[in-house]
Amino acid sequence: MKTFAKFVVVLRLVFIERLTYRANFFLQILSGILSSLIIVFLWLAVYRNAGQEAIGGYTTAEMVTYLLGGGLINTFVLTTAENPETSQSIQDGTLSALLIQPLSPYGYWFFRDLGSKMFLFLLGMLGYGFIFWGFRNYLVLCPDGGHLLLFLLSLALAALLQFFLFESLSLLAFWIENTYGIRFATRVILETIGGAIIPLSFFPSLLQKIFLALPFHYLIYLPMKIYLGKIPLEEACLGLLKEILWMVGLALLSLILWRRGLRHYVAMGD
Amino acid sequence: MKQTAYRPHFFMMIIGKTVRIGLLFFFFQAIFFKVSRIGDWSYDHVLLLFATFHIVDYLMSITYQRNLAFSLPRRIQTGELDARMTLPVNLLFFVSFEDVDMIDFFSFLPSLGFLIYVFWRLDVVFSWPQAISYVLLLLNALLFLYALMLIIATTSFWTTQAYGLAVIVDQLLKIGRYPLDVLEGFWKVIFIYVLPLVVIAQIPSQALLRTLSVELALYALAVTGLFLAAAIALWRWGLRDYLSAGT
């Protein structure tokens, strides 16, 4: 209980920090919203030109809902992607100060990331609230309570999966001096094949198979497919089960990297 | 050459940037898998627009983007600009081109290859006037972006928000890789007249495709002139107000 209280303090601190630079964060969310809007307008132009109500199994309304929902998920998945703090602490030696504090650095980074995601999600909701209202005639509601429940669960799992994926990459800083390149390359892949700008079902089947074999589609594509009721509940449950397996695998990997890395860690003070 | 010191990082950045272009190529392919045109743009035309955007984007990031958008605001705020002011070289030129981005230089080469591939796909013989107007409008795009970056950088003479602004503008510029004339109403006005992102890739591409009107070409040159004049005026004004915060 005492440990949990410490982490609640970490969460509070993240909110206070973020609120200090709220203008920058809001502008960041705003630029994400504008980018999402352009993609929506591009797709609307595609639908206008196609002259058909549904393309690739998505009606205009479903596509708008998919893209705006994906945009909202992006506010806390992509904006916090890369977990720079972990890598930075190892590189510049500030990890040493964390190690002597009465809380686990791994837990500290986890709760800081969670705090950031919660903050950005709330800020994103505020920004996207106006956009949702503007597109209210297009938005499709979740078909039933079961899908809605699984959708909410998939959002929570997406947040965790993203953390463990990038945390594993960040922890490589124990062995390689600069992990930004590898995190950047992973983020680039996530941007497109996570499904934020296009449903993966639009890709040729070979590419779809490759993309679906990777964990990125659990972050946006699967949650939005569940929300739109594009998959039956049983299939959605199976998808989430596979996501949990990925998440547990990545969590274990990051914990192994953390323990081994710590044995490898050297910091020199002045 | 500092960037090449961490080789795995250096190569992963190049791979990441190349993969990004490859994945976006698949994105357009996936759209055109379902439709034959977006507005007046065919698949090959959109690829030209996309390749042109990335050529301009890379040329900007290799040369002045990092210097103006990220380094100059820091130098103004920390007072590091002082030492540069004493050098026997034009200050604006020096701070604009001080560091060359080697990662983007090597990432640029696949983009150039992609542009050549698109030229090959277009399967048309370009006339000299077309080719010259394309190159001139590319240079115009680079000057427009230079002005935009300088305007952002000069805000740091008066505020501490230049970094945030640079990040946002960097995000917004990416909108320029889509055909913006397919937008309607308000947004069309915004991206043609208020923040004229059409200057970056759409107008040069249209020149090459012979779909550009003389009025729009002249408009692109005028917009760049206007942005450049405003940027230089702000730079001079900022320098007059600069007090040096360094110790």
Side-chain angles (χ1 to χ4, degrees):
Chain A
M1 200 60 202
K2 233 177 165 182
T3 311
F4 184 71
K6 282 178 203 163
F7 289 124
V8 171
V9 173
V10 173
L11 272 180
R12 254 194 65 218
L13 282 174
V14 173
F15 265 74
I16 292 167
E17 262 175 46
R18 298 294 186 259
L19 279 169
T20 314
Y21 301 101
R22 59 191 176 276
N24 264 347
F25 281 104
F26 194 75
L27 286 171
Q28 212 175 334
I29 298 283
L30 193 67
S31 70
I33 291 175
L34 275 173
S35 302
S36 279
L37 276 179
I38 295 305
I39 298 284
V40 170
F41 289 122
L42 183 74
W43 274 105
L44 286 176
V46 169
Y47 275 83
R48 250 196 330 271
N49 281 278
Q52 52 198 81
E53 177 46 24
I55 303 176
Y58 285 77
T59 62
T60 316
E62 283 173 341
M63 184 57 90
V64 170
T65 309
Y66 177 94
L67 294 169
L68 291 178
L72 177 63
I73 299 174
N74 244 345
T75 57
F76 67 90
V77 169
L78 260 191
T79 318
T80 56
E82 294 175 15
N83 299 23
E85 278 189 41
T86 303
S87 190
Q88 193 65 38
S89 307
I90 299 166
Q91 265 177 275
D92 62 18
T94 45
L95 172 61
S96 307
L98 282 175
L99 284 169
I100 55 166
Q101 285 176 19
L103 78 172
S104 148
Y106 189 92
Y108 172 76
W109 291 321
F110 176 79
F111 277 89
R112 278 190 68 82
D113 183 76
L114 192 67
S116 289
K117 282 187 168 77
M118 282 162 66
F119 178 81
L120 289 166
F121 180 70
L122 291 175
L123 213 55
M125 278 298 282
L126 189 71
Y128 272 94
F130 292 102
I131 305 298
F132 289 153
W133 186 80
F135 279 92
R136 62 195 179 281
N137 294 332
Y138 281 97
L139 294 184
V140 173
L141 293 175
C142 198
D144 52 66
H147 276 91
L148 185 64
L149 202 70
L150 288 184
F151 167 69
L152 293 174
L153 178 66
S154 72
L155 288 188
L157 289 175
L160 292 172
L161 182 72
Q162 185 272 336
F163 173 79
F164 291 123
L165 174 67
F166 282 91
E167 188 67 2
S168 301
L169 298 175
S170 281
L171 287 166
L172 292 176
F174 280 120
W175 296 274
I176 52 175
E177 285 191 62
N178 194 336
T179 62
Y180 182 71
I182 192 162
R183 286 181 287 125
F184 171 79
T186 311
R187 184 200 154 109
V188 161
I189 295 168
L190 166 63
E191 274 172 15
T192 313
I193 68 175
I197 55 175
I198 186 169
L200 299 187
S201 56
F202 275 66
F203 287 100
S205 61
L206 178 69
L207 282 178
Q208 268 187 59
K209 275 182 193 156
I210 297 170
F211 295 164
L212 293 176
L214 299 167
F216 304 104
H217 71 281
Y218 295 117
L219 301 177
I220 294 163
Y221 182 57
L222 182 68
M224 287 317 297
K225 244 173 59 165
I226 295 174
Y227 177 85
L228 290 169
K230 290 275 173 199
I231 46 173
L233 283 175
E234 305 76 48
E235 213 181 303
C237 287
L238 192 69
L240 293 180
L241 199 67
K242 285 183 191 165
E243 183 176 359
I244 291 170
L245 286 177
W246 267 103
M247 199 187 74
V248 172
L250 285 165
L252 283 175
L253 176 69
S254 66
L255 278 170
I256 292 168
L257 288 171
W258 165 242
R259 294 215 171 125
R260 294 219 168 161
L262 212 51
R263 283 205 293 268
H264 195 78
Y265 176 67
V266 179
M268 281 166 278
D270 51 17
Chain B
M1 298 302 276
K2 270 184 292 184
Q3 289 170 315
T4 54
Y6 303 112
R7 296 229 176 106
H9 160 73
F10 182 74
F11 288 117
M12 285 311 292
M13 287 296 289
I14 293 170
I15 290 168
K17 283 172 184 246
T18 309
V19 165
R20 171 182 278 167
I21 292 178
L23 287 173
L24 283 166
F25 169 73
F26 285 133
F27 163 68
F28 286 118
Q29 203 180 35
I31 291 180
F32 282 95
F33 207 48
K34 308 284 180 192
V35 294
S36 58
R37 300 185 81 81
I38 307 176
D40 294 331
W41 298 81
S42 70
Y43 176 50
D44 289 341
H45 293 176
V46 168
L47 285 189
L48 173 68
L49 172 73
F50 178 60
T52 303
F53 174 84
H54 281 283
I55 290 295
V56 174
D57 191 44
Y58 274 125
L59 286 174
M60 168 178 74
S61 55
I62 292 167
T63 50
Y64 56 78
Q65 187 186 23
R66 193 177 301 267
N67 292 308
L68 287 180
F70 302 109
S71 303
L72 183 57
R74 194 189 62 239
R75 284 176 182 138
I76 291 170
Q77 278 156 21
T78 58
E80 282 174 48
L81 192 65
D82 299 6
R84 285 157 179 83
M85 289 173 107
T86 59
L87 296 173
V89 61
N90 179 290
L91 180 64
L92 183 55
F93 175 81
F94 186 72
V95 295
S96 303
F97 300 99
E98 201 173 342
D99 291 316
V100 172
D101 194 317
M102 290 307 287
I103 290 174
D104 279 337
F105 175 75
F106 285 103
S107 310
F108 170 71
L109 300 176
S111 280
L112 197 59
F114 182 60
L115 184 68
I116 293 166
Y117 164 73
V118 174
F119 284 159
W120 172 77
R121 271 190 69 99
L122 280 168
D123 199 25
V124 283
V125 180
F126 300 116
S127 65
W128 276 108
Q130 264 176 292
I132 291 168
S133 55
Y134 178 69
V135 173
L136 282 178
L137 286 165
L138 279 188
L139 292 173
N140 181 65
L142 283 167
L143 272 176
F144 166 74
L145 290 169
Y146 178 83
L148 194 62
M149 293 296 149
L150 185 57
I151 289 171
I152 294 163
T154 51
T155 59
S156 51
F157 281 113
W158 303 283
T159 74
T160 54
Q161 301 291 329
Y163 177 80
L165 268 175
V167 172
I168 289 147
V169 169
D170 190 43
Q171 277 292 318
L172 284 180
L173 290 182
K174 291 188 171 68
I175 294 169
R177 65 187 169 206
Y178 304 115
L180 295 170
D181 55 354
V182 301
L183 303 181
E184 287 184 325
F186 175 76
W187 296 101
K188 193 168 182 170
V189 172
I190 291 284
F191 293 118
I192 294 181
Y193 299 108
V194 182
L195 184 64
L197 300 182
V198 283
V199 171
I200 304 171
Q202 187 174 314
I203 288 180
S205 303
Q206 284 180 317
L208 199 64
L209 297 168
R210 286 195 200 155
T211 54
L212 181 68
S213 64
V214 177
E215 291 82 10
L216 201 55
L218 291 174
Y219 170 72
L221 298 176
V223 157
T224 300
L226 202 70
F227 269 71
L228 210 53
I232 290 172
L234 279 170
W235 166 251
R236 288 187 179 152
W237 184 16
L239 275 185
R240 273 202 301 272
D241 282 4
Y242 178 63
L243 295 171
S244 172
T247 51

